[in-house]
Amino acid sequence: MKFAVKTIMVAAVLGVLFAPVQAAELESGFLDTKWSTPAKDLKGFTKVGGSEKLAYYVNPERKYIFFGNEIPDDVVYGFYDDKFFAVYVNIEGIDIFSQIKSYIQRKYGMPSKTSRETRGDLTTYIWRLNQTQIKFKHHETSGKMKISFYYLPI
């Protein structure tokens, strides 16, 4: 019974989480932030790193929910030459990772590329859309997992 309830909750949250990140919308941005937006136009964001043309920002005021679980780490927004081009999210828990991967596969099909590095036991899954790319990384030895979204024209 717990499994059925958890499955229903995951399905509901999937709809909420990825509803704004549909294929067409993912092509134009991530959630409510449009690709190419200058960092100065974002409210509540704090710079956390970068070099020369790269800069990374987080919004500590915003909470992100993935599959019913609050993300403990910040969602990192990447900028190149002051234009928004990437999002990085650390995922905790193989169950959540598997649920997100399954959802993406149902929505976009099999990954356009899958690679495996034996050193570090890293498996990378890549889905290429028209102008965006979704990248999933799973370090099997350490258990670290990350999902990234990239706007390819930048």
Side-chain angles (χ1 to χ4, degrees):
M1 183 63 149
K2 279 183 160 180
F3 180 76
V5 171
K6 185 176 180 181
T7 302
I8 291 168
M9 292 294 292
V10 167
V13 173
L14 279 173
V16 171
L17 173 65
F18 281 105
V21 189
Q22 306 264 326
E25 293 166 352
L26 187 56
E27 291 293 329
S28 64
F30 180 79
L31 298 176
D32 56 351
T33 305
K34 301 291 182 208
W35 299 122
S36 297
T37 300
K40 65 178 173 33
D41 291 354
L42 301 178
K43 305 291 184 252
F45 281 74
T46 303
K47 188 173 181 179
V48 293
S51 62
E52 294 186 28
K53 292 189 172 205
L54 285 173
Y56 301 99
Y57 288 79
V58 298
N59 185 344
E61 299 168 10
R62 184 168 185 176
K63 299 296 178 203
Y64 297 87
I65 308 292
F66 278 53
F67 303 97
N69 297 289
E70 187 173 315
I71 300 299
D73 292 333
D74 289 317
V75 172
V76 177
Y77 288 67
F79 292 80
Y80 178 78
D81 207 14
D82 200 38
K83 294 179 184 152
F84 173 52
F85 84 101
V87 176
Y88 309 96
V89 183
N90 291 322
I91 304 295
E92 291 194 16
I94 193 66
D95 291 345
I96 295 170
F97 180 86
S98 296
Q99 292 163 2
I100 295 172
K101 183 175 173 274
S102 293
Y103 177 81
I104 291 173
Q105 280 186 190
R106 280 192 308 278
K107 183 147 192 68
Y108 301 113
M110 295 302 289
S112 45
K113 181 179 179 184
T114 301
S115 63
R116 178 150 170 88
E117 295 177 23
T118 53
R119 186 179 48 138
D121 286 331
L122 172 65
T123 303
T124 303
Y125 306 94
I126 297 173
W127 287 265
R128 255 198 128 121
L129 309 177
N130 291 328
Q131 296 188 75
T132 55
Q133 175 176 286
I134 302 169
K135 186 184 285 188
F136 244 164
K137 289 185 175 183
H138 180 211
H139 295 268
E140 294 171 23
T141 304
S142 69
K144 291 183 180 180
M145 297 163 275
K146 180 190 282 190
I147 185 170
S148 306
F149 300 92
Y150 297 96
Y151 180 58
L152 300 175
I154 293 182

